[in-house]
């Protein structure tokens, strides 16, 4: 009996098999071609970092061809140093710290904003309330050496007519801020408004006193994405792809809060979900601005950046003035729409 596999059918089978192999090969090569890419966050994971874990889980970084590693830091000073020395491709750092770093020779640039309004603040107790800048004179304030608020403190103090040396800064690890003020080891701590929940849990909701810096004329740009000039020169498309994926993660966090929190908990099991929920909600409110609604999440306004640089040049005692038009760029941003209405 003649075999059903004739030379013609065998030839056709080989063509089909070869085509299948060729179709799979590019996909495999693409999977292997994902570029390692490190993000240095400014602290341990808090509410304002959840978007990047969401972007990981949903494959936004994978789709951008990036294998993103997220690394903690002990304040903006450390994350800035990681970006400047190439130990991170992109870092999150406070704008005031970045401006001071640039004045001292750091070769970095601000490439996208996170909070459009400043969350900078000092927490204290009702038994020794620090409600105004004048209340800080002679007091002790806790923060890590690389903390963003500690580093821009001279600007805030001088802007409000206070001698920066009239406050005693006490070295406190990031995770020890809440117990330090709750146990009265310091009079207050420098911490973002978004951390309110932790202080209420430790001291009681009616025992926590805020002193938002924006209330006293200090509304510099705050948390931002930065990259070194070398990284921007060598990896421009990867930087652009990372930012698009990261801000898409923010869009999803804003639009679909609880599922995004579940992803965050899955990716970072150590987080305290009730704190993150509160912390993240306050951070989102700092992003619901007209600037973001009109231009996309993360867009940097030149006027506000120049106003921020003016504060730094005038009050921070920089070794040389910084030129606002050279410290930032919007060229790596892809517009990602704000999914929420502007907060009034």
């Amino acid at each position: 009996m003649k075999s059903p596999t004739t030379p013609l059918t065998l030839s056709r089978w080989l063509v089909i098999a070869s085509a299948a192999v060729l179709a799979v090969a590019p996909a495999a090569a693409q999977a292997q071609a994902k570029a390692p890419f490190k993000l240095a966050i400014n602290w341990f994971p808090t509410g304002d970092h959840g978007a990047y874990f969401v972007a990981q889980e949903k494959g936004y970084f994978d789709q951008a061809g990036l294998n993103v590693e997220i690394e903690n830091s002990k304040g903006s000073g450390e994350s800035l140093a990681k970006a400047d020395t190439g130990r991170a491709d992109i870092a999150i750092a406070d704008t005031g710290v970045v401006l001071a770093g640039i004045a001292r020779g750091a070769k970095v640039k601000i490439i996208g904003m996170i909070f459009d309004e400043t969350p900078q603040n000092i927490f204290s107790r009702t038994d020794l309330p620090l409600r105004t800048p004048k209340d800080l004179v002679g007091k002790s304030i806790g923060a890590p050496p690389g903390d963003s608020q500690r580093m821009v403190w001279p600007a805030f103090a001088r802007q409000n007519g206070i001698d920066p040396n009239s406050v005693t800064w006490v070295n406190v690890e990031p995770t020890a801020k809440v117990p330090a003020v709750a146990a009265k080891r310091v009079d207050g701590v420098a911490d973002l408004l978004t951390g309110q929940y932790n202080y209420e849990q430790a001291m009681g909701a009616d025992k926590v006193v805020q002193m938002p810096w924006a209330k006293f004329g200090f509304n510099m740009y705050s948390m931002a994405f930065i990259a070194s000039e070398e990284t921007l020169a060598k990896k421009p498309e990867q930087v652009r792809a990372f930012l698009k994926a990261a801000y898409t993660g923010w869009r999803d966090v804003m639009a679909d809060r609880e599922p995004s929190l579940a992803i965050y908990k899955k990716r970072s099991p150590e987080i305290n979900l009730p704190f993150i929920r509160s912390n993240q909600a306050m951070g989102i409110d700092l992003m619901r601005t007209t600037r973001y609604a009109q231009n996309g999440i993360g867009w940097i306004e030149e006027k506000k950046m120049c106003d921020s640089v003016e504060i730094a040049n005038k009050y921070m005692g920089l070794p040389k003035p910084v030129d606002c038009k050279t410290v930032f760029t919007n060229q790596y941003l892809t517009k990602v729409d704000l999914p929420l209405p502007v907060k009034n």
Side-chain angles (χ1 to χ4, degrees):
M1 183 174 175
K2 194 180 235 182
S3 169
T5 305
T6 66
L8 181 60
T9 57
L10 178 61
S11 174
R12 285 176 178 169
W13 182 87
L14 289 172
V15 169
I16 292 169
S18 298
V21 169
L22 289 173
V24 171
Q30 185 178 18
Q32 294 175 353
K34 283 193 298 181
F37 201 89
K38 182 177 288 186
L39 166 66
I41 61 176
N42 55 302
W43 210 9
F44 56 82
T46 60
D48 47 299
H49 304 123
Y52 319 124
F53 293 90
V54 169
Q56 276 186 329
E57 178 72 14
K58 292 191 173 183
Y60 297 151
F61 292 134
D62 289 340
Q63 293 162 23
L66 302 176
N67 181 18
V68 174
E69 175 189 354
I70 301 174
E71 179 177 281
N72 298 353
S73 302
K74 292 182 179 180
S76 291
E78 184 180 17
S79 57
L80 164 66
K82 289 176 181 177
D84 188 37
T85 58
R87 288 177 287 152
D89 296 292
I90 285 182
I92 294 173
D94 183 83
T95 295
V97 175
V98 177
L99 297 178
I102 291 172
R104 293 176 172 84
K107 303 297 184 182
V108 298
K109 197 176 286 285
I110 297 169
I111 56 173
M113 207 52 61
I114 299 171
F115 295 139
D116 198 31
E117 300 290 345
T118 186
Q120 293 170 326
N121 167 72
I122 287 177
F123 285 114
S124 59
R125 307 176 302 273
T126 52
D127 64 316
L128 184 61
L130 305 177
R131 302 185 188 278
T132 72
K134 301 291 185 186
D135 295 335
L136 298 173
V137 175
K139 303 302 190 300
S140 61
I141 304 297
D147 188 88
S148 60
Q149 288 186 233
R150 184 168 178 172
M151 296 180 75
V152 300
W153 160 253
F156 177 75
R158 292 188 179 107
Q159 190 178 28
N160 285 277
I162 298 171
D163 177 359
N165 296 319
S166 65
V167 164
T168 299
W169 285 92
V170 178
N171 292 339
V172 172
E173 285 293 304
T175 53
K177 285 184 176 182
V178 175
V181 69
K184 304 184 180 181
R185 294 196 295 271
V186 292
D187 299 320
V189 291
D191 205 351
L192 305 185
L193 279 168
T194 51
Q196 176 86 12
Y197 175 89
N198 279 348
Y199 294 88
E200 291 179 344
Q201 291 300 298
M203 298 190 288
D206 60 342
K207 303 295 184 183
V208 182
V209 178
Q210 293 181 351
M211 196 189 76
W213 287 19
K215 184 178 176 180
F216 298 96
F218 194 87
N219 197 19
M220 285 180 69
Y221 265 132
S222 180
M223 293 301 166
F225 286 118
I226 63 170
S228 70
E229 293 176 2
E230 182 177 359
T231 295
L232 295 176
K234 291 182 175 179
K235 304 179 179 180
E237 293 310 314
Q238 290 180 9
V239 168
R240 185 174 287 108
F242 171 86
L243 289 177
K244 180 180 179 182
Y247 286 126
T248 301
W250 265 114
R251 180 204 65 191
D252 290 2
V253 165
M254 293 178 183
D256 213 5
R257 292 285 313 286
E258 288 303 316
S260 295
L261 286 168
I263 289 172
Y264 195 5
K265 183 68 174 177
K266 173 186 172 184
R267 285 272 176 169
S268 190
E270 74 275 13
I271 64 172
N272 178 325
L273 206 52
F275 161 67
I276 294 295
R277 183 179 285 107
S278 170
N279 176 257
Q280 194 175 80
M282 296 179 77
I284 288 171
D285 281 346
L286 297 168
M287 302 171 77
R288 292 172 53 188
T289 65
T290 300
R291 280 183 290 264
Y292 280 8
Q294 293 178 346
N295 303 288
I297 305 170
W299 184 79
I300 308 166
E301 182 188 70
E302 182 176 311
K303 181 183 183 304
K304 182 165 183 178
M305 179 58 71
C306 287
D307 288 344
S308 298
V309 168
E310 183 179 0
I311 291 172
N313 284 337
K314 187 173 181 180
Y315 296 112
M316 286 183 64
L318 305 183
K320 64 179 181 179
V322 176
D323 179 358
C324 77
K325 295 186 179 180
T326 65
V327 301
F328 81 101
T329 179
N330 284 309
Q331 75 177 86
Y332 300 97
L333 294 178
T334 303
K335 185 177 181 182
V336 176
D337 290 331
L338 184 73
L340 299 173
V342 171
K343 185 179 179 183
N344 295 323

